[in-house]
Amino acid sequence: MPIQYPDYIQKKWIIAPPMDTAVWKDLADYPSLLRKLLYNRGILSSQSARDFLYGGEHLLHDPFLMSGMNAAVERILLAMRRDEQIVVYGDYDVDGVTATALLVECLQLLGMKVSPYIPNRFDEGYGLNKEALYSLRSGERAADLVISVDCGIRSQAEAIYAREIGLDLIITDHHHPSDDVPECVAVLDPKRNGDEYPYKDLAGVGIAYKLAQAVVQKVSPASDLAEKRLDLVALGTVADMAPLSGENRELVRRGISLLRSGNRVGIRALAAEAGIAYSRITSGDIGFLLGPRLNAAGRLETAMDSFQLLVSDNDVDAMKYASSLQKQNEERQKQTRETQQKAANSIGQLMPGEYLLFVVDPDFNEGIVGLAASKLLDQYYRPSIVGRRDAETTRCSCRSIPGFHIAQALDECADLLVKHGGHAAAAGFTVENRNLAALQDRLKEIARRELHDTELVASITAEAEVSLKDLNGDFYQQQELLHPLGYGNPEPCYVIRNVQVLQKSVIGKEKTHLRLVLKDDRSGAVMNAIAFHFGYLADVLPARVDILGSLDMNHYNGQSTLQIRVKDIRQPE
């Protein structure tokens, strides 16, 4: 009996092509599997392989190569000499919170008067806003200088307003700028036209780190004060899905080493709540366990709990904030499921020619709509927009697929929008309700124009076809050299054909996961497998299957055993 999948989760399997013979020879110093993994990632020479696998100081760039860095550092040093009040103005996601914590810690340790400000998602929305700037300038803080992190590159009006009220502003951001760059003391964003900084894909926390590094070089050249905060760079870079290539890869590699040292008490406490050993933290743990917990506070209330956790210097405070984030994350998961289900019910069965999904509701939580949009994209493989509709305006989050640049689509609708921003795969906007229907029609027409010749089927790429016998300890050690894994350097997956299902059982609190014992008849090899979210297949799974999955290590009760983490299952060909 064929496996009965719901229509919307059929996936296309893509197996990477064979290696080029010349590259195979050039990478002869490496085992055959590792050569294939490197080749599949565009690593085509022995030198680039050494850089990728082992890193090095040469991958890190001088912060003063970034346009605006000299002006930014000079203004911060002036604030230091004048004993002025500095405010670091962040964002409520992991990238923004880690950037805020990093810059606040560094400047405070250099003796400056500095405090954090993270806007409330629900009251203020994303980025710089005039009310906050006025409050920071005229209120108790009486700020003289505001430094934005992970936001501000499109805040032209706010930059003008800051100058009008006598508030100096330095903007650091990693998002794509518009043609009109804000006028202020300095703007640090390597994506600006003409910027000569060699690496363009730093996360917001990465740019905050480069600014801290530059300031430290001027104030205390021998200090490693900035480098000791690369743990924060690793958290923010991985959680924000910045590409793990070039300088990012080296920064994250060093940052994960710091996380594993356990020196940051807040992360020790959060790891304990997440059920992982801090000494073995991986980029996957950041992406799937630590990052969502750090994000939860900003999605439901205020991100200050996450900030306070990161800067905590004692176990009591750290445990308190970690416990709070754990509770908020559980609530975030619950609300995400409910929002996704309500949105999916609203969509129902996909209609022919439906290229974009657009769902708004007054009951949706604004902090959850982006997650719900991601879930809809996974479910239907269509660009998905989910938003909360209020009395006069609707705020939406968007997630998109390859081939449909959602930020460019929003640019085509700028005349209908109050504000918008983002990149190819994710974006957000605010629209007046009187323009909502027109916006929906136009975006769906743009999607139809761009995607009508596209096969709208999700795909999974495998490195190679292997047998169960191949999946041994040596195989595992070779692929471990690819760490840190993440966006731009995905976890290796493999196809294993025609294996026998010896045992199957559903597990998990809600019986949503599938545990398998698989056997390869030819070699006699037997291996355990875990298929998260495949529990619904337990009653229809045939005696033999093809598996697409990754090889990982299961740590349980003090024992470590290899297992397959299943990404997809299908009938043998």
Side-chain angles (χ1 to χ4, degrees), residues 269-480:
L270 195 62
E273 287 284 357
I276 56 176
Y278 70 80
S279 60
R280 291 199 300 261
I281 285 174
T282 66
S283 52
D285 294 328
I286 295 172
F288 295 105
L289 296 172
L290 301 179
R293 285 166 171 78
L294 289 168
N295 258 331
R299 292 192 183 281
L300 298 182
E301 297 177 17
T302 167
M304 287 307 295
D305 274 4
S306 295
F307 174 85
Q308 294 297 346
L309 173 96
L310 293 176
V311 301
S312 294
D313 59 4
N314 66 83
D315 289 330
V316 173
D317 285 346
M319 290 171 63
K320 177 183 73 172
Y321 289 117
S323 176
S324 173
L325 291 178
Q326 176 69 18
K327 291 184 177 68
Q328 290 181 85
N329 189 53
E330 291 168 357
E331 176 62 23
R332 185 271 307 172
Q333 291 172 321
K334 174 176 173 290
Q335 290 194 27
T336 301
R337 287 193 298 269
E338 292 171 349
T339 302
Q340 177 199 6
Q341 188 59 58
K342 188 171 183 179
N345 290 342
S346 173
I347 294 165
Q349 188 72 27
L350 279 181
M351 301 300 292
E354 194 163 6
Y355 295 99
L356 179 141
L357 308 178
F358 198 127
V359 183
V360 300
D361 192 285
D363 294 328
F364 287 170
N365 182 330
E366 193 176 310
I368 301 298
V369 292
L371 299 175
S374 293
K375 296 290 187 182
L376 289 183
L377 185 147
D378 292 341
Q379 184 172 347
Y380 295 102
Y381 200 69
R382 299 289 191 278
S384 299
I385 299 173
V386 182
R388 174 187 171 89
R389 178 171 183 156
D390 292 319
E392 296 181 0
T393 61
T394 296
R395 290 182 181 179
C396 294
S397 285
C398 320
R399 299 293 184 270
S400 195
I401 61 176
F404 187 70
H405 195 302
I406 187 61
Q408 289 181 359
L410 292 177
D411 285 342
E412 290 192 44
C413 305
D415 58 305
L416 297 174
L417 299 171
V418 176
K419 62 179 180 179
H420 69 285
H423 49 79
F429 63 83
T430 302
V431 58
E432 293 181 355
N433 290 340
R434 61 188 177 89
N435 291 325
L436 185 59
L439 174 68
Q440 182 169 339
D441 290 344
R442 192 183 300 181
L443 283 171
K444 289 193 171 188
E445 180 55 39
I446 295 170
R448 186 177 299 110
R449 181 190 75 202
E450 297 295 323
L451 296 173
H452 73 280
D453 288 333
T454 303
E455 183 183 18
L456 293 176
V457 178
S459 63
I460 312 178
T461 299
E463 311 284 343
E465 288 192 32
V466 300
S467 70
L468 282 187
K469 185 180 178 181
D470 295 325
L471 301 179
N472 54 34
D474 181 61
F475 192 105
Y476 178 76
Q477 290 302 323
Q478 289 182 48
Q479 71 168 28
E480 282 295 280

Side-chain angles (χ1 to χ4, degrees), residues 170-244:
I170 295 170
I171 290 173
T172 77
D173 201 351
H174 70 120
H175 296 99
H176 286 282
S178 62
D179 294 334
D180 185 15
V181 175
E183 295 182 13
C184 55
V185 172
V187 176
L188 306 182
D189 187 339
K191 291 186 175 75
R192 290 176 58 187
N193 289 334
D195 194 295
E196 296 183 359
Y197 193 78
Y199 187 73
K200 304 300 182 183
D201 290 322
L202 291 170
V205 68
I207 297 173
Y209 166 73
K210 302 309 290 190
L211 176 57
Q213 189 182 38
V215 173
V216 171
Q217 284 181 17
K218 293 294 185 181
V219 176
S220 182
S223 172
D224 61 354
L225 189 153
E227 285 70 23
K228 284 183 176 179
R229 278 145 191 88
L230 283 174
D231 55 348
L232 296 172
V233 177
L235 287 168
T237 300
V238 173
D240 211 56
M241 295 184 66
L244 293 187

